[in-house]
Amino acid sequence: MSTERTETNYGADNIQVLEGLEAVRKRPGMYIGSTSERGLHHLVYEIVDNSIDEALAGYCKNIFVDINEDNSITVVDDGRGIPVGINHKVGKPAVEVVFTILHAGGKFGGGGYKVSGGLHGVGASVVNALSTKLYVEVFNGENRYEQTYKRGVPEAPLEKKEATEKTGTRVTFWPDPEIFETTVFDFDVLEKRMREQAFLNKGLRIVLTDKRTKDTEEGERVSDFCYEGGIKSFVEYINADKDALHPEVIYFEGKKENYEAEIAFQYTTAYSETLISFANNIHTTEGGTHETGFKTAITRVINDYGKKFNILKDKDKPLTGEDVREGLTAIISVKLVEAQFEGQTKTKLGNSEMRSFVDGLVTKSFEAILEENPAIAKLILEKTMAASRAREAARKARELSRKGAAGGSLPTKLKDCRDKQMKNTEIYIVEGDSAGGSANQGRDSKFQAILSLWGKMLNVEKARVDKVFGNDKLNPVILALGTGIGDEFDISKLRYERVIIMADADVDGAHIRTLLLTFFFRYMRPLIDAGHIFIAQPPLYKVSKGKKEQYAYTDEELKNLLAEFGQDSKIQRYKGLGEMNPEQLWETTMDPERRIMLQVKLEDAIEADKTFTLLMGDSVEPRREFIEKNAKYVQNLDI
Ligand code: TTJ
């Protein structure tokens, strides 16, 4: 095999050499979080992050990500190409070092905003170690170079190939099925991440292509993202189906030597808040100093403005943080050298200098915007003051409901279970008294509680928190679960391990499910995050022939059963839970040994927010479009 190694001097020395690769294969979870589907997708982010770094350094404009037919991934960028010159500490080409030595990569680029520690930025070597095969090509404007690795080990030295004027890097990798529980990529998951990264890096184009559907009717799926507006476009995307209070997204940015911040926000008529923050392009789900700086600044600016122009009177209570964030959609994106990530999932920004920097930036810029746009200022003040009044009314309603319930006693409609601890107990929330009756007789009362709901279910998307407390359907739910809601929510007070929504498998049932899920999403979101919310799946049919009988939960299952039992079996179709007797309800839907339940997961809070806005909000036309587009998935619409 002929190889020729080229010497270039840029950057090749600076790679930090830290550790070998065996450790990665032995304990993959330590490096990529897990070996589940999530860990698998993390491999793609690790590779794409390198191209994004090159874009941040100002040298890359386009990134192409392909899901290939065999579920391998190809990432191509038009940057400078990973250096091919010898790294003198290691005595090997820099590109080989990047792919074989842990924690290499990054450091030698021009940009200063590198991620230190945490799940991200562990480097391309981790991806290499966890792939059966990885193939890299570098185009440095003079030649093409290539190298192949098997489970992280080079097959041969880097090879110099034909001349080329192109520059860039191209990597294809095949995730190792010995490591990952699944090696099948989910387009939607990658799409969400690529869209987000395109928003966060304005002007950068990221194209995601699914080649697996090439030969199907649908053809290749392609998502082509490029946002000149950056996070301003992000806010517009989230608010697409909401009613904005002011037409333009408010945007500002600020830079200092070692850090910068970009902030975009817009008020809507909604009652919920959507605040998403990032540090060095990493979603800081646990918040941190940048979020705190933003929150305290807008609270102070709005209160000061209100007082200054006598909109807020002396007798009025000051607006709280919750008040000033009602209906607000905000994106905060900061970049800084040596970001410190803290918290349970290492997604909380700890650098304290960010708090004062963001606070100062927001105070100065937002003050100016309010002063220059009194009409917008007035709308924002009115909105936040209405939120304040509702919060005050909610406080009173809450006290009343507490007193009414004689100090924390339970709702009258609750048939509680005998076990009083949270562990391994469950509550079925059932619509309608007849289904509630069957569930009550069919249950195992040791660990299963039943709450049947009646009366008008409130659409929380269109109501404020004070109405939630007064609502005769939701108030029993709040009391039974024990956690409180909103800013008072306390998961340690949860009275049941599983909260199971049981409604008919028809349109009305779907509506009730969606209303309840909207409520959990807006007022008890940590319950969803922690996996406590479930949806019961009652059967659609019973098929019997002679003494044999079996239940079918889908039309597909019905078809299979008919094939098995013979087409002459009479079939019973269940229209509602009430049609089943208690015993049937137990054996099909409530018996932990036999039932099928769906766990409600929240992979994507932004999409969920958009979906709930669409389904439960005011705009009729987008809702109709959504329902038509998703007609074939209607049963799963709300999950
Ligand atoms: C670093 O500084 C010198 C010039 O090249 C810079 C660099 O490494 N750029 C770069 C790396 N662009 N793209 C990459 C890259 C792309 C992929 C798909 C995978 C990896 C590991 C790196």
Side-chain angles (χ1 to χ4, degrees):
M1 188 143 333
S2 87
T3 53
E4 191 187 324
R5 284 176 181 168
T6 346
E7 294 284 336
T8 45
N9 46 24
Y10 66 70
D13 285 321
N14 305 336
I15 293 174
Q16 290 190 343
V17 175
L18 290 172
E19 264 185 88
L21 290 183
E22 304 97 280
V24 180
R25 287 186 62 83
K26 238 185 230 157
R27 312 181 103 201
M30 295 261 296
Y31 298 88
I32 50 159
S34 77
T35 56
S36 66
E37 193 171 348
R38 188 177 291 229
L40 177 78
H41 289 80
H42 208 94
L43 300 182
V44 184
Y45 312 154
E46 280 298 335
I47 295 297
V48 173
D49 280 355
N50 290 280
S51 299
I52 291 176
D53 280 346
E54 183 71 350
L56 283 173
Y59 296 98
C60 160
K61 295 256 170 299
N62 298 281
I63 302 173
F64 296 89
V65 180
D66 292 352
I67 311 172
N68 300 312
E69 276 179 282
D70 60 356
N71 266 295
S72 62
I73 295 282
T74 300
V75 180
V76 189
D77 72 39
D78 56 358
R80 290 167 291 182
I82 308 175
V84 293
I86 298 294
N87 172 293
H88 294 293
K89 276 191 210 136
V90 188
K92 285 181 177 162
V95 50
E96 183 173 330
V97 174
V98 165
F99 282 101
T100 54
I101 294 171
L102 210 55
H103 288 299
K107 297 291 178 197
F108 55 93
Y113 302 134
K114 296 295 171 194
V115 181
S116 55
L119 287 183
H120 296 261
V122 290
S125 59
V126 168
V127 178
N128 194 17
L130 301 178
S131 298
T132 51
K133 180 172 143 185
L134 184 145
Y135 174 59
V136 56
E137 290 170 279
V138 174
F139 305 81
N140 70 350
E142 292 173 8
N143 287 89
R144 182 174 74 86
Y145 292 77
E146 65 174 38
Q147 191 168 31
T148 303
Y149 311 81
K150 296 271 173 76
R151 296 199 162 95
V153 181
E155 284 222 291
L158 182 72
E159 269 191 84
K160 180 175 174 179
K161 308 295 276 195
E162 73 278 2
T164 181
E165 288 185 358
K166 274 203 295 194
T167 69
T169 306
R170 186 171 190 276
V171 171
T172 302
F173 65 93
W174 288 258
D176 192 341
E178 285 178 15
I179 301 278
F180 293 97
E181 288 158 31
T182 170
T183 52
V184 180
F185 286 97
D186 183 330
F187 185 90
D188 294 341
V189 171
L190 293 179
E191 182 189 50
K192 179 209 165 204
R193 169 78 175 207
M194 297 309 137
R195 180 192 291 118
E196 174 189 288
Q197 292 299 319
F199 280 132
L200 291 171
N201 299 280
K202 69 175 101 165
L204 172 64
R205 179 171 174 230
I206 307 181
V207 184
L208 174 68
T209 306
D210 194 342
K211 305 224 173 229
R212 294 171 302 187
T213 46
K214 204 172 80 185
D215 297 325
T216 67
E217 212 177 295
E218 179 188 9
E220 285 182 2
R221 225 175 128 185
V222 182
S223 287
D224 194 332
F225 301 119
C226 183
Y227 301 100
E228 293 304 335
I231 60 169
K232 205 174 158 196
S233 309
F234 204 162
V235 171
E236 286 164 0
Y237 172 79
I238 294 169
N239 285 351
D241 295 311
K242 301 186 184 187
D243 291 318
L245 275 192
H246 47 99
E248 278 287 311
V249 174
I250 297 170
Y251 173 86
F252 26 83
E253 58 189 326
K255 268 193 178 79
K256 269 202 177 165
E257 207 161 304
N258 283 328
Y259 39 92
E260 59 189 74
E262 264 189 287
I263 286 150
F265 61 94
Q266 185 177 39
Y267 279 92
T268 72
T269 59
Y271 300 126
S272 52
E273 83 176 68
T274 306
L275 193 151
I276 308 166
S277 65
F278 299 86
N280 291 356
N281 291 342
I282 291 166
H283 187 175
T284 36
T285 45
E286 295 172 283
T289 51
H290 52 339
E291 262 194 31
T292 315
F294 172 77
K295 288 178 178 177
T296 46
I298 60 164
T299 309
R300 196 179 51 242
V301 168
I302 293 176
N303 272 296
D304 288 353
Y305 183 94
K307 274 186 245 160
K308 182 170 172 189
F309 293 94
N310 209 25
I311 304 170
L312 271 177
K313 310 280 190 278
D314 285 342
K315 64 173 171 51
D316 291 331
K317 289 214 167 100
L319 301 167
T320 67
E322 282 221 333
D323 298 336
V324 303
R325 294 196 302 277
E326 186 188 277
L328 180 69
T329 299
I331 307 282
I332 302 158
S333 172
V334 301
K335 300 208 170 83
L336 67 168
V337 183
E338 288 185 46
Q340 287 155 20
F341 291 100
E342 304 169 346
Q344 270 199 331
T345 54
K346 294 263 175 272
T347 54
K348 181 175 182 182
L349 186 67
N351 304 60
S352 60
E353 69 273 19
M354 254 313 155
R355 186 179 308 120
S356 47
F357 179 59
V358 173
D359 188 328
L361 173 68
V362 174
T363 301
K364 181 169 69 66
S365 316
F366 192 28
E367 254 172 24
I369 286 169
L370 291 182
E371 299 255 354
E372 286 160 24
N373 301 276
I376 293 176
K378 186 163 171 267
L379 286 170
I380 295 176
L381 257 298
E382 278 167 3
K383 169 83 170 155
T384 54
M385 286 165 73
S388 173
R389 284 191 295 273
R391 191 176 44 78
E392 192 53 27
R395 194 181 57 75
K396 288 185 183 140
R398 187 158 52 213
E399 272 165 17
L400 272 181
S401 95
R402 270 197 199 124
K403 276 193 201 126
S409 83
L410 295 164
T412 45
K413 282 274 173 179
L414 176 73
K415 304 281 181 230
D416 211 1
C417 50
R418 279 176 282 133
D419 281 358
K420 292 299 173 201
Q421 84 281 6
M422 179 267 213
K423 183 110 196 75
N424 211 28
T425 58
E426 45 194 46
I427 180 169
Y428 278 84
I429 301 176
V430 189
E431 158 71 11
D433 273 341
S434 75
S438 293
N440 189 32
Q441 287 171 45
R443 69 175 170 154
D444 181 338
S445 62
K446 183 176 176 337
F447 70 101
Q448 293 180 318
I450 309 289
L451 179 68
S452 42
L453 298 184
W454 78 108
K456 192 169 152 31
M457 171 72 82
L458 183 75
N459 177 359
V460 299
E461 209 60 21
K462 292 184 182 169
R464 281 202 170 95
V465 57
D466 52 327
K467 296 285 179 297
V468 173
F469 281 111
N471 182 260
D472 57 358
K473 265 200 184 186
L474 292 178
N475 206 28
V477 176
I478 300 169
L479 287 177
L481 297 196
T483 55
I485 59 171
D487 54 337
E488 271 209 333
F489 180 87
D490 180 357
I491 202 163
S492 73
K493 299 208 171 115
L494 182 62
R495 299 184 59 250
Y496 309 95
E497 186 171 343
R498 287 178 288 277
V499 179
I500 304 163
I501 302 172
M502 186 157 73
D504 291 345
D506 61 7
V507 178
D508 285 345
H511 192 226
I512 285 147
R513 257 196 313 276
T514 313
L515 286 163
L516 271 169
L517 284 172
T518 310
F519 167 68
F520 288 131
F521 181 71
R522 295 297 187 203
Y523 286 94
M524 297 187 175
R525 189 167 318 178
L527 281 193
I528 303 181
D529 293 333
H532 290 292
I533 308 283
F534 295 82
I535 294 179
Q537 292 288 93
L540 297 178
Y541 308 96
K542 182 165 81 176
V543 182
S544 37
K545 187 171 178 183
K547 277 193 177 151
K548 282 194 297 191
E549 44 172 60
Q550 218 162 314
Y551 297 97
Y553 293 82
T554 61
D555 285 320
E556 177 80 23
E557 272 179 31
L558 176 70
K559 229 169 66 189
N560 293 341
L561 276 181
L562 285 178
E564 192 189 323
F565 283 21
Q567 299 296 333
D568 58 336
S569 328
K570 292 151 317 272
I571 302 165
Q572 188 184 348
R573 191 192 151 86
Y574 295 113
K575 289 204 209 69
L577 294 163
E579 286 181 17
M580 273 183 274
N581 63 40
E583 198 175 306
Q584 286 173 324
L585 197 58
W586 164 256
E587 59 184 38
T588 60
T589 317
M590 298 177 73
D591 176 5
E593 299 289 319
R594 283 176 285 184
R595 70 186 174 195
I596 299 172
M597 284 202 312
L598 301 178
Q599 186 174 35
V600 178
K601 288 195 180 149
L602 198 60
E603 294 289 343
D604 189 344
I606 295 174
E607 284 311 308
D609 178 281
K610 284 171 81 74
T611 305
F612 284 123
T613 302
L614 216 57
L615 287 174
M616 311 315 282
D618 289 314
S619 353
V620 175
E621 191 50 25
R623 172 163 59 233
R624 200 179 56 79
E625 268 171 37
F626 179 90
I627 291 172
E628 273 173 15
K629 218 168 68 191
N630 291 279
K632 58 180 169 171
Y633 311 115
V634 152
Q635 292 126 302
N636 294 323
L637 205 63
D638 42 5
I639 299 156

